[in-house]
Amino acid sequence: MASAPVKKVPIHLQSSQNRLLIKNGCIVNADGMEDADVYIEDGVIKQVGRNLIIPGGTRTIDATGKLVMPGGIDPHTHFELEMMGAKTADDFYKGTRAAVAGGTTTIIDFVLPQKGQSLIEAYGNWRQKADNKACCDYALHVGVTWWSASVKKEISQLVHDHGVNSFKMFMAYKDVWMLDDYNMCLAMEACAELKALPMVHAENGSIIARNSEKLLEAGVKGPEGHAASRDDQVEAEAVNRACVIANQMDAPLYIVHMMSAAAVQSLRNARRVAKHPIFGETLAATVGTDGSHYKNACFRHAAAHVLSPPLRDPSTPEAIIDALAHDDLQVIASDNCTFNEKDKELGKNDFTKIPNGVNGVEDRMAILWQKAVNTGVMDPCRFVAVTSTNAANIFNLPSKGRVAVGADGDVIVWDPRLEKTISAATHHHAVDFNIFEGQRVVGGPQYVIVNGRVCLDDGDLRVAEGYGKFLPTPPNSPYVYGEVPTTPQPERVEYLPSPARVTNGTPTELQISHKLEATSVSGCSTPTGRKMREPGQRNLQNSTFSISQEMEGLDTKTSVRVRNPPGGKSSGLW
């Protein structure tokens, strides 16, 4: 591929903004909090600590009473995507602009080839769309929407030559993107051989297709039919099946947009016996709203909430937040895939034709903070883990997801007292609807620094089209493959020559005991490297954190005690 053209940096992103000092803030990383200053130069964090020696001409941001966090990473967006006869409202400029406004400084979008299309060709199309538009750094996943020998070869080329280490398979969207189980086996095997990460959209596409036919025949044509055609059991079954396939193929697995408590339970069960890490992702939409909107009499309102899997019953957000807080889920994304009213109306008389997708890339972090941190369910360290650090680790972006020396200068200054009411009238998306309309959130970014440049400056958004760069994601992520045990090979069976007498084939108690010893997994590793909790074992992720209590004395504290950080309880100070 030809090298990208040299980009001219706008005047407002030049001069002293090459050097930036963030003073008097409390740094929050996934593994702890500390009061320290941060010095950024030429887009890289150069110093972290107190009494730093800083060159002249450095801009200073006073972060007293604020939290200094790594910029958010949203690993699931769909910008400039054409599907179901429509094109998303947010392109790579407008989508990443909205992302930066909400504190997200890196996105990972999906290349989705049509059936029969070259994966390399589709990848090239996405690079062409994004390279001169993205306002922040971006990476790409590639969809495996069909299978052949040429697809397998192109997956290898994408890994070795084009910086892609993750590939998504669909168990839904029958006759469009869906793979059958056999081809999914082959795709997962290919990923494992290349030390890439298979990803799955887990819903039973065949059940959905048949349920949709029956609903339409019965006269159910509105958005409520969308949810009725694919209940939580349809999702839970597919999650279980995807995990079984991955385990049989000796592959790790990342399940995108998990939307129900039943699906999370399937994931919990699978991880107890998994040979390789299995990661679960949920969405801002899942924790910020629910499926009651599908019953709204206004088609525009109901259709605006249609995505797949669909929003669930009102008890779901609490269950999903709890799963995120306790490491049953590792990542919160947006699945930002926005369609305007005129596009949603393509399915006015047939819910199967409503383009699927909602907003979320701008409000993802504020929604989670409001629903999880302000309620005391999650502490700020876990918030950073699920909004940034875990995604950086899983997709092998070592310069992202942490405020530390040598990391990219993607930093947000988070004001836990900043109040905002979410509305389509004020958001930065190109879409004309917001699924979080009218929700009041307390806590949000006051400053957003992208590669060392202040792009949200005390509420003033100043992004530059094309400023973001493509991020190659190398294979063999240590977080995914680093601690994978060697798969035990089945013992060779020596068969007795005929006509020797044999038993009826029922294994003896001694044989069963030897087999269990040979195949048992001693504490299945979770994505954080900890063992799964044994029954009755204390849950070290339980948090008694209160943001109001922590922030009251923030101005005078030299350090902040983290009661239960992601690595477990600490008896010292961070």
Side-chain angles (χ1 to χ4, degrees), residues 245-277:
I245 292 172
N247 209 34
Q248 293 289 318
M249 297 303 112
D250 270 339
L253 182 63
Y254 181 103
I255 302 179
V256 300
H257 53 41
M258 297 184 65
M259 302 290 283
S260 66
V264 172
Q265 187 57 51
S266 287
L267 181 67
R268 283 193 195 102
N269 295 340
R271 288 173 66 184
R272 290 192 181 102
V273 297
K275 294 179 285 188
H276 301 268

Side-chain angles (χ1 to χ4, degrees), residues 142-410:
V142 174
V144 180
T145 55
W146 62 294
W147 189 256
S148 70
S150 67
V151 169
K152 182 176 181 180
K153 182 179 178 182
E154 287 194 320
I155 288 176
S156 179
Q157 290 175 312
L158 285 163
V159 169
H160 292 126
D161 303 330
H162 298 284
V164 175
N165 72 2
S166 46
F167 296 87
K168 180 180 180 182
M169 282 74 80
F170 290 85
M171 301 172 79
Y173 296 110
K174 194 171 183 295
D175 301 324
V176 182
W177 293 327
M178 178 175 155
L179 282 189
D180 63 26
D181 288 357
Y182 179 73
N183 284 327
M184 224 163 60
C185 288
L186 296 177
M188 287 192 186
E189 276 186 326
C191 288
E193 288 169 9
L194 294 163
K195 295 292 192 287
L197 179 61
M199 310 172 77
V200 164
H201 172 137
E203 290 183 288
N204 189 312
S206 297
I207 292 177
I208 292 166
R210 182 61 191 135
N211 283 347
S212 297
E213 289 170 354
K214 291 193 289 186
L215 285 161
L216 290 169
E217 287 167 5
V220 179
K221 298 182 178 181
E224 71 278 9
H226 175 74
S229 70
R230 54 219 301 158
D231 66 23
D232 57 358
Q233 293 304 306
V234 173
E235 182 185 6
E237 182 278 330
V239 167
N240 178 68
R241 184 157 41 100
C243 292
V244 170
I245 292 172
N247 209 34
Q248 293 289 318
M249 297 303 112
D250 270 339
L253 182 63
Y254 181 103
I255 302 179
V256 300
H257 53 41
M258 297 184 65
M259 302 290 283
S260 66
V264 172
Q265 187 57 51
S266 287
L267 181 67
R268 283 193 195 102
N269 295 340
R271 288 173 66 184
R272 290 192 181 102
V273 297
K275 294 179 285 188
H276 301 268
I278 304 173
F279 306 101
E281 167 199 285
T282 192
L283 305 181
T286 324
V287 304
T289 187
D290 61 64
S292 61
H293 294 278
Y294 296 132
K295 298 176 182 176
N296 194 293
C298 171
F299 173 85
R300 174 179 184 264
H301 182 98
H305 290 79
V306 167
L307 76 160
S308 295
L311 299 168
R312 305 298 186 185
D313 69 73
S315 69
T316 301
E318 184 178 353
I320 295 297
I321 291 167
D322 185 75
L324 272 172
H326 295 92
D327 202 47
D328 291 319
L329 295 171
Q330 290 68 48
V331 176
I332 184 167
S334 69
D335 194 7
N336 195 97
C337 187
T338 53
F339 294 98
N340 283 317
E341 180 182 2
K342 64 178 178 58
D343 297 315
K344 293 280 186 177
E345 284 182 345
L346 292 170
K348 192 144 193 179
N349 298 309
D350 180 348
F351 65 82
T352 66
K353 293 182 169 60
I354 299 172
N356 285 205
V358 297
N359 63 283
V361 74
E362 180 171 354
D363 301 312
R364 178 182 69 111
M365 297 182 74
I367 282 287
L368 184 65
W369 185 272
Q370 176 66 28
K371 303 289 184 179
V373 181
N374 287 344
T375 58
V377 177
M378 185 182 288
D379 65 35
C381 293
R382 184 64 187 172
F383 174 84
V384 166
V386 299
T387 60
S388 181
T389 309
N390 288 350
N393 290 338
I394 291 168
F395 297 106
N396 208 6
L397 296 169
S399 66
K400 306 290 185 182
R402 185 167 180 81
V403 178
V405 173
D408 286 353
D410 287 353

Side-chain angles (χ1 to χ4, degrees), residues 425-488:
T426 54
H427 70 200
H428 296 85
H429 294 277
V431 71
D432 55 9
F433 192 93
N434 193 307
I435 60 170
F436 310 115
E437 186 71 36
Q439 291 196 38
R440 177 177 167 271
V441 292
V442 180
Q446 182 182 8
Y447 297 91
V448 176
I449 295 98
V450 180
N451 282 317
R453 319 283 186 177
V454 181
C455 290
L456 181 69
D457 195 341
D458 198 12
D460 181 17
L461 184 63
R462 299 187 297 172
V463 296
E465 187 172 7
Y467 177 61
K469 62 182 180 297
F470 173 71
L471 300 172
T473 52
N476 201 16
S477 166
Y479 200 69
V480 178
Y481 284 99
E483 297 179 6
V484 177
T486 303
T487 305

Side-chain angles (χ1 to χ4, degrees), residues 502-508 511:
V502 296
T503 67
N504 63 5
T506 305
T508 65
Q511 287 172 323

Side-chain angles (χ1 to χ4, degrees), residues 4-10 14 127 130-138 453 464-470:
V6 176
K7 299 171 186 174
K8 184 178 179 181
V9 179
Q14 295 178 16
R127 288 293 307 272
D131 279 345
N132 294 315
K133 290 184 179 179
C135 303
C136 63
D137 290 353
Y138 79 98
R453 319 283 186 177
E465 187 172 7
Y467 177 61
K469 62 182 180 297
F470 173 71

